[in-house]
Amino acid sequence: NWDAPIVVTTNVQFFESLYAAKPSRCRKLHNIAESVVILDEAQLLPPEHLSPILDALRQLVARYRVTVVLSTATQPELGKTRNDPFGREVLKGLGEARELAPDPARLYRELERVTVSLPKSPGDRRSWDEVANALMAHERVLCIVNRRNDAEDLWRKLPAGAIHLSARMCGAHRAQVIADIRERLRNGLPVRVVSTQLVEAGVDLDFPVVYRAMAGLDSIAQAAGRGRREGAWPHKGGHVVVFNPPKPSPSGLLLKAEQAAQRVLAGSSGEPLTAANYVRYFDFFYSDMSGYDKE
């Protein structure tokens, strides 16, 4: 019933309770008033549901004295209102917001741990055989791909001992495999891992080298967070390689995110994972909210 000083729940539980039509789920809502709501990994809020999500947050702030904190290393641009090319409003933003970090640019420079290599062009695609050969050149390496079938195809091309992670595994099995990966990294043993996006948030892994199939800029940044995470590998680590897989992402949100990232990176010079690039990326990504239901 959320009758506690601190409540930990999921985004799904929180917003489904706000929009529920059942008394049992609505009885706890009064406890949100005058509270601080922290949305962790805010970039993962589903774009197809952003309009009702932002509507609910605006109401909580305006009428119920709620403070909302959007917590993420890749801040989505949710403050502004967006219109379609005809001037019609497609997404109403949260309005006034302020940055809590005292100097984000300075913090970014101080916390920078990796260097990022990008493909030469969107047409510069690599076969799974080429990616597998590149991975075999490293004793400890993580490769993150966009689809479960891609993870399986690439994993099968690696020598025995390589590790596969995907949502096709049950939760207990995934937890055991992740624990084994951490143990091998801690002991300095060789470990090559092929995974889907499931390791990009909430999974603490620390690899000297990370390969990432082209995806949204937020996903690339989250993948980079698995590289030199603990500040280790001072001389031979902290390298993130972004590559174009054999095929682009399937149509829908994955493809839209990939295309938005390519637009930003094509016009970017220097370090790709900067706050200014995140702003441009989310501008492109949220530019056509009216099209999500069609995809």
Side-chain angles (χ1 to χ4, degrees):
N1 59 9
W2 293 355
D3 186 16
I6 298 176
V7 177
V8 180
T9 186
T10 63
N11 286 337
V12 172
Q13 174 70 230
F14 183 76
F15 289 107
E16 284 190 350
S17 297
L18 286 169
Y19 281 97
K22 296 181 178 179
S24 60
R25 302 196 70 176
C26 295
R27 289 193 186 106
K28 60 192 174 187
L29 295 184
H30 65 282
N31 288 313
I32 302 176
E34 299 184 334
S35 67
V36 177
V37 175
I38 302 174
L39 299 178
D40 193 25
E41 301 293 359
Q43 81 282 357
L44 295 179
L45 292 173
E48 64 271 32
H49 301 312
L50 264 185
S51 185
I53 285 174
L54 297 185
D55 286 345
L57 294 178
R58 283 196 309 275
Q59 289 291 323
L60 290 175
V61 171
R63 299 178 181 274
Y64 302 97
R65 300 177 66 184
V66 170
T67 298
V68 176
V69 178
L70 303 179
S71 173
T72 173
T74 54
Q75 193 65 250
E77 196 63 8
L78 298 179
K80 64 175 66 173
T81 294
R82 289 175 171 81
N83 299 323
D84 66 14
F86 302 99
R88 296 173 298 193
E89 183 181 289
V90 295
L91 181 66
K92 186 174 182 180
L94 291 174
E96 183 180 354
R98 63 186 179 91
E99 175 62 60
L100 295 181
D103 187 350
R106 178 183 60 81
L107 288 174
Y108 172 81
R109 291 191 300 270
E110 291 180 354
L111 296 174
E112 186 177 10
R113 299 186 301 266
V114 299
T115 57
V116 181
S117 300
L118 300 173
K120 295 179 181 178
S121 69
D124 178 23
R125 298 200 171 274
R126 303 177 70 171
S127 68
W128 292 130
D129 285 320
E130 291 175 315
V131 176
N133 289 334
L135 297 181
M136 285 187 284
H138 306 281
E139 284 194 341
R140 286 172 287 276
V141 61
L142 167 67
C143 183
I144 304 174
V145 296
N146 294 322
R147 294 181 288 194
R148 291 175 293 183
N149 288 342
D150 292 346
E152 182 179 355
D153 291 343
L154 178 56
W155 172 72
R156 291 188 181 280
K157 295 182 180 297
L158 293 173
I163 297 174
H164 168 263
L165 279 170
S166 85
R168 285 178 176 158
M169 304 159 66
C170 71
H173 187 196
R174 285 201 306 270
Q176 181 58 56
V177 171
I178 291 171
D180 291 342
I181 293 170
R182 289 189 183 125
E183 185 67 19
R184 293 174 70 172
L185 287 170
R186 192 161 40 244
N187 293 328
L189 299 175
V191 54
R192 299 184 181 97
V193 180
V194 178
S195 176
T196 57
Q197 302 101 306
L198 68 87
V199 300
E200 286 184 347
V203 179
D204 293 336
L205 296 176
D206 183 10
F207 281 84
V209 181
V210 177
Y211 278 68
R212 182 59 170 97
M214 178 59 74
L217 198 63
D218 55 333
S219 293
I220 294 174
Q222 294 291 337
R226 311 310 117 184
R228 202 167 173 247
R229 187 175 183 87
E230 306 298 333
W233 328 108
H235 302 298
K236 56 182 178 179
H239 193 199
V240 177
V241 180
V242 181
F243 65 93
N244 291 316
K247 296 180 181 179
S249 298
S251 61
L253 294 176
L254 280 177
L255 181 60
K256 187 173 180 65
E258 181 180 318
Q259 292 172 338
Q262 288 171 337
R263 291 179 66 184
V264 171
L265 296 175
S268 172
S269 60
E271 174 56 49
L273 303 180
T274 62
N277 279 351
Y278 296 141
V279 172
R280 295 183 60 223
Y281 166 73
F282 283 108
D283 272 341
F284 290 137
F285 186 46
Y286 294 146
S287 62
D288 186 19
M289 298 304 299
S290 60
Y292 281 118
D293 56 347
K294 302 173 185 176
E295 295 177 350

